[in-house]
Amino acid sequence: MAQISLTFPDGNAREYAAGVTPAEVAADISTSLAKKAISATVNGAHWDMQWPIDADASVAIHTMKDDAQALELIRHDCAHIMARAVQEIWPDVKVTIGPVIKDGWYYDFDREEPFTPEDLGAIEKKMKEIINRRDAVTTETWDRDRAVKFYEANNEPYKVELIEAIPGNEPIRMYWHGHWQDLCRGPHLQHTGQVPADAFKLMNVAGAYWRGDSDRQMLQRIYGVAFKNKEDLKKHLHMLEEAAKRDHRKLGREMDLFHMQEEAPGQIFWHPNGWRVFTTLQDYMRRKQNAGGYVEVNTPQVVDRKLWEASGHWEKYQENMFIVEVDEEHAREKAINALKPMNCPCHVEIFKQGLKSYRDLPLRMAEFGSCNRYEPSGALHGIMRVRGFTQDDAHIFCTEDQIESETKEFIAFLSAVYKDLGFETFKVKFSDRPETRAGSDEVWDRAEAALLAATRAAGIEPELNPGEGAFYGPKLEFVLTDAIGRDWQCGTHQVDFVLPERLDANYIGEDGAKHRPVMLHRALLGSFERFIGILIEEHAGKFPFWLAPRQVVVASIISDADPFVHEVVAELKAAGVLAEADVRNEKINYKVREHSVGKVPVILAIGQKEVEERTVTVRRLGEKQTSVVTLDAIVEELGQAAKAPDLA
């Protein structure tokens, strides 16, 4: 029998007969490894312990200590175990597919009766029984005809359709978890007992069309989460509880910030409180950009398709654009325009007006640009994922030699802004060329090398994010982690050699000849709408004082205090504080409770004693203790706190 050589992570190699399985390799290394092994990586591919290895390969054996592999297998096996549990309880239910997703899995079922919360409890109980049985997981490869006949005989039409969709004559991988069988690529654990029985939970049920086609059968999708141990599950469930409390849609209602309605899908109706947050943040960004050497411009909302065709957006991005047809007077055909999905081509058109010299570079051009992009209705999510939004967008026109210095300066600028907004650290991802792109490989080589070198020169080693660049150039993505551990991709910085070429932008170099500028696309917040949603959830509605839409409520305890209440409000306003009076004929506890729900940071209560002593009783949001402070002291303190970080 032919021999093959397997090389292990430590560099050592061993000879085995061709067709050896990772399980046999693990047993050959040690008995303890054979017991602990859950899967292998063979030449970079995740491998089932039962799959044969037929040629020389690099091999690593995994145990439950290897988080990525362990979690993938636990979640994948949970999907199968859940489907088995459902069919053991309700044998007539048809099964479809059950992939691993972030933090867990889902499985789609065809069942006439809707699953109830009580059903989920019964399924969980049955899953634990299956796990405790420690049933073996086995696998075989079958030819297509045999697999189709098997599923036809077992009245599983969805599996038949899945097999028919597999291209060519590839062998069909079949798995058994005990007696229960499923069609699956694998890999899987070696027995059901390897799934931790106390580290998973079924979460909810949702509707899902078969193959995502609204003309097909509506199925029931059960979602679950799974981890390596019950402590990790407990942490995750706590995070979900926190996320529900912080949900920007819920807090947006309670704080009267905004609303959305079906007549304007993906568009935001900003209320006075929410618009105050928006404009305060915009004013702050405008001052920071002015100080950073940016010039601010404004460009049209509706632009003729000719510009989008010239820029490449019509070809690469049209499905995300809102098209506007206009019957121009005396025109033989309708004029076709588009609402701008981004500002880049319009900024190039401004750059092209008048002759530019190398002495004018770098030219940093900023716009709070209102953009519109089509997003499927199912992808819309509060103000986080919308169709109409405002970017804190800018384009830096520079020479190739200036890419490094401009990138370093931008990263420093972004770091300062994020720190002002409460985010001390961030991660950076480097996204290189996508499959669909404009420009030659030589141009992409230059752009990627320049951006990567500039990032490293700024002291940052980015995480690689292959194939996720924009169609015109590579990009950096700046990822924030919020108070409960969730990541948010916000800022971007992209190097573009393509658009200036396509739109014929030039500057006069030191040699007197025309040269193409490099275009750096950059945003810090991404979109104001999404970033405000992130801030709401990061702070659980308790905005930093300077950004809070309602900063202080001065509330009377007795009606005789009303004149002093209005005097306090007037002094606070004069100091630049957003202050309002509450002199309603209500008990003070009622007023405090109502304004606390509205997330007002400071409530000043005034009764007879405060009037006589010209003091206020201070209640701060989230604190049980109150304090008594003189009027002059509180005006001084809150006047300073109300200043934006760049003005303090």
Side-chain angles (χ1 to χ4, degrees), residues 421-474:
L421 295 172
F423 297 96
E424 295 284 342
T425 60
F426 52 84
K427 292 181 284 190
V428 182
K429 295 182 180 181
F430 176 80
S431 301
D432 60 13
R433 67 195 73 185
E435 193 170 323
T436 301
R437 59 185 181 271
S440 66
D441 286 344
E442 185 270 332
V443 166
W444 274 87
D445 289 343
R446 283 166 54 208
E448 288 172 350
L451 183 58
L452 197 53
T455 308
R456 287 171 174 158
I460 293 173
E461 185 59 42
E463 175 187 332
L464 295 182
N465 194 23
E468 293 301 315
F471 76 83
Y472 47 77

Side-chain angles (χ1 to χ4, degrees), residues 6-304:
L6 301 184
T7 304
F8 299 99
D10 62 3
N12 290 324
R14 295 192 187 189
E15 299 287 318
Y16 293 94
V20 68
T21 65
E24 292 166 337
V25 172
D28 180 56
I29 294 172
S30 75
T31 303
S32 63
L33 182 61
K35 290 179 180 177
K36 295 176 184 175
I38 57 171
S39 66
T41 292
V42 178
N43 289 337
H46 201 188
W47 212 261
D48 194 291
M49 295 297 286
Q50 301 175 54
W51 296 351
I53 306 171
D54 296 320
D56 293 352
S58 61
V59 176
I61 304 296
H62 301 299
T63 68
M64 282 293 180
K65 291 182 179 179
D66 297 304
D67 285 353
Q69 292 80 11
L71 286 170
E72 178 188 338
L73 295 180
I74 288 168
R75 290 162 180 168
H76 202 170
D77 280 56
C78 275
H80 283 221
I81 291 168
M82 182 179 77
R84 172 179 166 182
V86 167
Q87 289 197 312
E88 285 190 8
I89 300 171
W90 300 282
D92 293 338
V93 172
K94 303 286 188 295
V95 294
T96 63
I97 55 172
V100 172
I101 57 174
K102 186 178 184 295
D103 300 322
W105 78 93
Y106 70 76
Y107 210 111
D108 289 347
F109 300 97
D110 186 357
R111 183 189 184 216
E112 288 188 13
E113 294 294 317
F115 288 109
T116 66
E118 291 74 24
D119 290 338
L120 295 189
I123 296 166
E124 277 191 8
K125 182 179 178 183
K126 178 64 72 173
M127 288 175 69
K128 290 177 180 178
E129 290 175 11
I130 294 168
I131 290 168
N132 290 332
R133 290 175 199 163
R134 301 175 66 84
D135 287 340
V137 177
T138 57
T139 182
E140 295 178 6
T141 54
W142 288 10
D143 64 56
R144 187 180 300 251
D145 289 343
R146 182 184 178 192
V148 167
K149 288 176 182 174
F150 174 83
Y151 285 119
E152 286 177 341
N154 284 277
N155 193 24
E156 292 287 4
Y158 297 100
K159 297 297 183 184
V160 173
E161 188 174 333
L162 287 171
I163 291 172
E164 290 171 346
I166 297 173
N169 292 311
E170 299 173 23
I172 306 301
R173 174 70 63 180
M174 309 288 272
Y175 269 92
W176 284 263
H177 288 65
H179 65 82
W180 186 85
Q181 194 281 330
D182 204 0
L183 171 74
C184 187
R185 291 191 183 96
H188 279 281
L189 294 167
Q190 300 310 290
H191 60 81
T192 61
Q194 289 181 306
V195 173
D198 58 357
F200 74 90
K201 182 172 179 59
L202 303 188
M203 301 302 293
N204 61 289
V205 182
Y209 290 109
W210 171 234
R211 310 301 288 271
D213 185 345
S214 59
D215 294 329
R216 304 293 301 276
Q217 180 74 19
M218 173 61 82
L219 306 173
Q220 294 186 68
R221 176 172 294 178
I222 299 180
Y223 288 92
V225 294
F227 297 88
K228 288 171 56 177
N229 52 61
K230 65 181 180 182
E231 289 77 20
D232 287 348
L233 173 64
K234 187 176 179 181
K235 286 179 190 173
H236 179 75
L237 296 178
H238 176 70
M239 185 273 289
L240 293 180
E241 288 176 12
E242 277 297 307
K245 292 177 192 173
R246 295 165 180 262
D247 190 316
H248 73 280
R249 296 165 296 181
K250 168 179 171 287
L251 291 170
R253 287 191 301 273
E254 292 176 357
M255 298 173 68
D256 195 22
L257 300 177
F258 61 84
H259 83 274
M260 307 180 84
Q261 60 191 62
E262 61 183 27
E263 289 83 357
Q267 311 282 337
I268 303 167
F269 292 79
W270 287 106
H271 298 190
N273 288 341
W275 193 242
R276 184 173 285 154
V277 175
F278 190 108
T279 54
T280 301
L281 189 59
Q282 188 179 59
D283 290 344
Y284 162 79
M285 287 301 303
R286 177 172 282 121
R287 292 191 302 271
K288 293 290 284 187
Q289 289 181 164
N290 288 342
Y294 288 82
V295 293
E296 186 175 335
V297 300
N298 190 265
T299 58
Q301 290 288 96
V302 180
V303 180
D304 192 290

Side-chain angles (χ1 to χ4, degrees), residues 253-488:
R253 287 191 301 273
E254 292 176 357
M255 298 173 68
D256 195 22
L257 300 177
F258 61 84
H259 83 274
M260 307 180 84
Q261 60 191 62
E262 61 183 27
E263 289 83 357
Q267 311 282 337
I268 303 167
F269 292 79
W270 287 106
H271 298 190
N273 288 341
W275 193 242
R276 184 173 285 154
V277 175
F278 190 108
T279 54
T280 301
L281 189 59
Q282 188 179 59
D283 290 344
Y284 162 79
M285 287 301 303
R286 177 172 282 121
R287 292 191 302 271
K288 293 290 284 187
Q289 289 181 164
N290 288 342
Y294 288 82
V295 293
E296 186 175 335
V297 300
N298 190 265
T299 58
Q301 290 288 96
V302 180
V303 180
D304 192 290
R305 67 177 285 178
K306 293 173 185 174
L307 181 60
W308 303 116
E309 287 173 339
S311 69
H313 290 88
W314 195 260
E315 177 189 356
K316 303 290 195 301
Y317 207 76
Q318 186 183 348
E319 64 183 22
N320 297 102
M321 297 168 73
F322 286 100
I323 309 303
V324 181
E325 292 188 354
V326 180
D327 283 316
E328 295 283 5
E329 190 178 0
H330 305 306
R332 293 183 178 179
E333 59 185 28
K334 289 183 178 179
I336 299 178
N337 304 286
L339 293 178
K340 66 175 178 182
M342 62 272 296
N343 306 297
C344 340
C346 294
H347 286 192
V348 178
E349 294 305 302
I350 292 178
F351 179 86
K352 286 163 59 179
Q353 299 300 304
L355 206 59
K356 298 294 187 298
S357 159
Y358 69 93
R359 294 188 182 90
D360 298 317
L361 305 183
L363 174 59
R364 303 178 187 128
M365 188 182 298
E367 178 176 9
F368 298 121
S370 295
C371 298
N372 291 271
R373 297 178 188 173
Y374 173 75
E375 296 278 1
S377 58
L380 300 177
H381 177 69
I383 65 174
M384 299 287 208
R385 191 78 176 266
V386 291
R387 291 177 177 173
F389 57 95
T390 302
Q391 286 184 310
D392 69 318
D393 201 9
H395 296 92
I396 302 169
F397 296 90
C398 65
T399 67
E400 196 164 340
D401 291 341
Q402 292 169 333
I403 292 174
E404 182 173 314
S405 60
E406 286 301 305
T407 298
K408 288 171 69 175
E409 189 160 336
F410 171 69
I411 291 173
F413 183 48
L414 173 141
S415 301
V417 169
Y418 282 178
K419 188 173 182 179
D420 280 351
L421 295 172
F423 297 96
E424 295 284 342
T425 60
F426 52 84
K427 292 181 284 190
V428 182
K429 295 182 180 181
F430 176 80
S431 301
D432 60 13
R433 67 195 73 185
E435 193 170 323
T436 301
R437 59 185 181 271
S440 66
D441 286 344
E442 185 270 332
V443 166
W444 274 87
D445 289 343
R446 283 166 54 208
E448 288 172 350
L451 183 58
L452 197 53
T455 308
R456 287 171 174 158
I460 293 173
E461 185 59 42
E463 175 187 332
L464 295 182
N465 194 23
E468 293 301 315
F471 76 83
Y472 47 77
K475 67 179 174 180
L476 299 179
E477 297 179 4
F478 298 87
V479 181
L480 299 175
T481 301
D482 72 10
I484 57 174
R486 297 172 301 180
D487 286 345
W488 302 99

Side-chain angles (χ1 to χ4, degrees), residues 573-589:
K573 285 183 175 180
V577 179
L578 297 172
E580 56 193 273
D582 186 348
V583 292
R584 294 174 298 167
N585 186 24
E586 300 283 357
K587 292 186 182 300
I588 188 63
N589 287 343

